[in-house]
Amino acid sequence: MAFPAHRPPAGRRHYHRPPGIYWDDFHTESAWLRDQGRLHLPAMDLGAVLVLKGECLLHPEALASERTLPTLTVTAEGGGSATLRPEATGAWELRVSVAAGRGTTLRLALGGVVLSNFLAWMGRITGIGALQRFRAQRKNRQLRLRTLETAGGEVVFDFSRRDAPFSADLHRKHFKPAINIVGFLSADLGIGESARCMVRAADAAGIETALVPLRLACRNRDGDPTYAARLAQDNPHPVNVIHVDPPATRDLVHHHGRAFFRGRRNVGFFAWELTDFPDAWTPYLDFYDEIWCPSEFTRKAIEPKSPVPVLHFPHAISFQRLEEDVPSLRRRLGLPGEGFLFLSIFDLNSYAARKNPAAAIEAFRRSGLRPPEAGLVVKLQNAALNPGDHAALQATVSGLQGVTLIEETLSRADTYALEAACDCLVSLHRSEGFGLAVAECMYLGRPVIATDWSATAEYLDASNGCPVGYRLVTLDRNHGPYARGATWAEADIDDAAASMQRLARDSSLASRLGAAGRRTIEGRFSPSVVGAMYRRRLENLG
């Protein structure tokens, strides 16, 4: 499948080794030009004027004809131009106007060196002995570059630093990162929450954002108003981050137009739940300049097949914890008022075979826990779109005491309320690309019982939860994109049932693990922590 070329992948600009600029031993604290050079400046607010400083020195080995000093013209793309015509040796400075706040390139050109450059070229081409001395270009070396500064005296380039003349610290200080977050920003589904998590992190890090709704069809309800007032159709910033399932990439240009992607760095934010990224999906990677993933598990699956960088940025987990007490939450949500409540929560559109709610139900059955001591809340959505899976689930809970089935789609606020109203999440998934429900319940201080494999194993262990043993199995048939022959985990149901017994009967253990889980999420996945990761990447891209 061929994708339209929106732009070539963006390579690193030569901030650290400016093209056309050289160093020598004639004057070690400065640099020189052969004839033309370029200084690339990333987008940052340096003011309307930049000052190039240097000095002119007579080279002791220069012939009389070489002792006339070159001229220097500096031209700023999108700005002004200035020319230096030195009449004597000594310090000089050249002021040039630039477009404030924009990335630009300063083009430097020596004048009065046509003859000396020609003689140097002839000496190199012909090997004539009398011309070899001109190859040193001593006339050019007499005009020296020391610094490029702002009008306020902040150094942008320091040419005494041969290894890295560009000031990265100044870039961090003045760079104003900005991204377009493109996704199902108001939809009630995991990939929509993925985009909303990014908004939280960007806000916490002071990253300017444009929130652009995906124009693709979405099977889930468009019912989350969190960022409704901020939604926009334009994407004015230099980086698009697109939260989408990889196959939907083929429809992006059709629905958003080529101009939406042209001239921008396009980033795909993908979650994938198996160890091997599908070969059929690898052509979609060509559309992007890089891929971001919410877990190392996903990154390691995609990276071996990706022609572009693949980076790990976890979801930012943070939301308003309800002040409402648990008994009132349970009354409001129609849950049993007493007993230790386990929760299994999933979207049937995410494939029941992967989410594996039947294992959580069977673990509750084997635990022997029953009302009033304990109960199990099974929260699902999109039953009408998955009638077969829905019927199988109903058959699984039939006749089992203590099970409460919730089938309607809840708002995010009510979903958080449900997670807070229950005492423990049970996620015996066969694989997760991140595990939003697991991280959310840990953030709420609820202990979690989860399969000890894939992305959730990166942040849940025996110190902060109840990891469940498993065996790896080979899929014997296709489950949506999860193809026959792939591998995922089969949780040990007896191990999970034993954890359910321990937590229901040991309140101190449940409290201790819940508190440890909360500390893990707050420490590793807070918006400020994740936002700082985004900011560092954007600073590097410049």
Side-chain angles (χ1 to χ4, degrees):
M1 179 178 295
F3 291 102
H6 50 82
R7 56 162 291 189
R12 180 180 295 276
R13 291 282 193 173
H14 301 285
Y15 300 126
H16 298 294
R17 302 289 293 181
I21 294 177
Y22 301 90
W23 287 265
D24 58 19
D25 292 331
F26 167 50
H27 194 270
T28 58
E29 298 299 306
S30 61
W32 64 283
L33 293 164
R34 282 184 178 170
D35 52 0
Q36 296 185 8
R38 298 191 305 277
L39 298 177
H40 294 296
L41 300 174
M44 51 182 178
D45 189 5
L46 298 177
V49 174
L50 293 178
V51 183
L52 184 64
K53 294 183 177 182
E55 63 182 310
C56 290
L57 303 170
L58 288 180
H59 197 289
E61 298 177 23
L63 295 177
S65 61
E66 297 174 310
R67 287 176 172 261
T68 56
L69 298 171
T71 64
L72 173 65
T73 298
V74 180
T75 304
E77 290 182 351
S81 178
T83 299
L84 171 74
R85 295 181 175 85
E87 297 180 356
T89 58
W92 56 263
E93 64 178 52
L94 200 57
R95 303 171 72 86
V96 60
S97 61
V98 296
R102 286 177 46 189
T104 190
T105 297
L106 298 184
R107 299 188 179 276
L108 284 60
L110 285 186
V113 293
V114 173
L115 178 60
S116 59
N117 284 350
F118 174 74
L119 294 174
W121 176 77
M122 286 292 293
R124 185 167 60 252
I125 295 299
T126 65
I128 296 174
L131 297 177
Q132 296 309 302
R133 70 174 322 281
F134 292 102
R135 295 180 62 182
Q137 295 185 288
R138 295 181 180 90
K139 180 173 183 175
N140 310 46
R141 293 172 191 253
Q142 296 177 133
L143 193 143
R144 312 298 299 189
L145 308 176
R146 280 190 172 272
T147 61
L148 178 70
E149 302 178 6
T150 68
E154 293 180 290
V155 175
V156 185
F157 279 88
D158 179 355
F159 297 106
S160 70
R161 295 287 306 274
R162 300 187 180 200
D163 55 338
F166 178 70
S167 174
D169 286 340
L170 184 75
H171 178 222
R172 296 186 188 99
K173 177 181 177 182
H174 290 281
F175 178 63
K176 298 187 182 303
I179 55 175
N180 309 302
I181 300 176
V182 188
F184 296 115
L185 286 150
S186 55
D188 292 315
L189 79 166
I191 201 168
E193 186 61 16
S194 169
R196 293 187 289 270
C197 288
M198 178 166 284
V199 178
R200 294 186 201 114
D203 288 350
I207 298 171
E208 187 177 352
T209 58
L211 310 187
V212 184
L214 265 177
R215 299 173 189 169
L216 310 182
C218 180
R219 299 173 70 191
N220 284 43
R221 185 183 72 172
D222 200 35
D224 192 308
T226 306
Y227 297 110
R230 294 173 58 182
L231 299 183
Q233 295 302 311
D234 295 330
N235 61 329
H237 304 310
V239 178
N240 293 325
V241 184
I242 306 160
H243 294 253
V244 71
D245 290 327
T249 299
R250 59 176 169 252
D251 299 321
L252 290 175
V253 169
H254 174 74
H255 288 281
H256 287 270
R258 294 174 186 268
F260 190 89
F261 307 98
R262 187 181 297 119
R264 290 171 177 80
R265 190 167 187 87
N266 293 290
V267 178
F269 197 103
F270 297 160
W272 175 243
E273 295 85 7
L274 299 182
T275 56
D276 188 42
F277 190 70
D279 288 334
W281 290 4
T282 56
Y284 304 125
L285 301 176
D286 292 336
F287 183 84
Y288 301 97
D289 297 313
E290 60 189 71
I291 306 298
W292 294 359
C293 305
S295 65
E296 273 295 293
F297 181 83
T298 297
R299 188 192 67 79
K300 290 177 180 178
I302 298 176
E303 185 179 49
K305 296 184 177 181
S306 176
V308 298
V310 184
L311 307 174
H312 168 206
F313 295 100
H315 290 314
I317 305 300
S318 178
F319 48 87
Q320 184 66 44
R321 295 186 179 97
L322 299 178
E323 297 181 359
E324 194 173 355
D325 59 29
V326 170
S328 63
L329 282 174
R330 290 187 176 185
R331 285 194 299 271
R332 176 159 67 86
L333 296 169
L335 303 178
E338 58 182 11
F340 192 98
L341 287 187
F342 296 96
L343 172 64
S344 175
I345 183 169
F346 54 94
D347 184 344
L348 287 173
N349 280 350
S350 295
Y351 301 95
R354 180 175 69 81
K355 290 294 188 177
N356 202 16
I361 296 167
E362 180 59 24
F364 181 68
R365 188 190 306 274
R366 294 185 193 183
S367 74
L369 299 166
R370 297 296 180 268
E373 183 181 18
L376 173 65
V377 178
V378 178
K379 166 65 181 74
L380 60 93
Q381 68 177 17
N382 288 312
L385 297 175
N386 302 273
D389 290 333
H390 182 221
L393 187 67
Q394 288 180 314
T396 302
V397 301
S398 178
L400 181 58
Q401 289 185 327
V403 176
T404 301
L405 195 62
I406 302 176
E407 299 186 0
E408 68 265 27
T409 298
L410 300 180
S411 66
R412 285 308 300 176
D414 282 345
T415 298
Y416 297 146
L418 176 62
E419 292 170 341
C422 296
D423 298 290
C424 173
L425 177 73
V426 184
S427 177
L428 301 186
H429 59 80
R430 291 187 168 102
S431 186
E432 284 285 7
F434 179 78
L436 277 168
V438 172
E440 288 166 358
C441 288
M442 292 173 69
Y443 176 77
L444 287 167
R446 301 296 184 261
V448 174
I449 300 169
T451 310
D452 193 24
W453 193 71
S454 67
T456 55
E458 295 175 12
Y459 56 88
L460 185 145
D461 56 34
S463 71
N464 61 12
C466 296
V468 174
Y470 64 92
R471 59 187 177 88
L472 293 178
V473 298
T474 300
L475 279 70
D476 58 3
R477 60 190 179 92
N478 296 336
H479 298 277
Y482 313 109
R484 182 179 60 194
T487 299
W488 61 18
E490 196 67 56
D492 185 332
I493 294 177
D494 289 327
D495 188 9
S499 290
M500 295 173 89
Q501 290 176 339
R502 287 195 302 272
L503 290 173
R505 293 168 178 169
D506 187 344
S507 59
S508 64
L509 173 64
S511 296
R512 185 168 67 253
L513 291 177
R518 176 171 171 167
R519 288 193 297 271
T520 296
I521 301 303
E522 290 177 337
R524 293 177 54 184
F525 301 150
S526 71
S528 60
V529 169
V530 178
M533 297 170 67
Y534 291 147
R535 189 180 187 95
R536 284 194 295 273
R537 180 58 181 164
L538 294 171
E539 287 173 348
N540 187 48
L541 294 174

